Amino acid sequence: MRELISYKNLKIRSWSARYLLKLYKKESLKVLEYIAKGESNSFNVEMTINNGKKII
């Protein structure tokens, strides 16, 4: 599953980063922040980032 964070398709990267957020917080947040910069409708990704930063 972790290798999907670097997959070519952004939807797959986003889904895998969200799923792995608790296990690989820094790596997942980096991917989500990258996706949020390029998405025109990035509200869901930004909310995931905000919630992810709260995870210990």
Side-chain angles (χ1 to χ4, degrees), residues 24-38:
Y24 303 104
K25 182 179 176 180
K26 287 183 182 182
E27 188 176 356
S28 294
L29 287 174
K30 183 177 176 182
V31 169
L32 293 170
E33 289 168 351
Y34 171 80
I35 292 170
K37 288 180 185 177

Side-chain angles (χ1 to χ4, degrees), residues 4-39:
L4 294 177
I5 285 180
S6 59
Y7 197 75
K8 186 175 181 178
N9 185 302
L10 289 181
K11 290 183 181 185
I12 292 173
R13 289 175 71 183
S14 173
W15 179 84
S16 61
R18 289 175 184 176
Y19 184 82
L20 296 171
L21 193 55
K22 289 184 180 180
L23 296 173
Y24 303 104
K25 182 179 176 180
K26 287 183 182 182
E27 188 176 356
S28 294
L29 287 174
K30 183 177 176 182
V31 169
L32 293 170
E33 289 168 351
Y34 171 80
I35 292 170
K37 288 180 185 177
E39 291 284 323

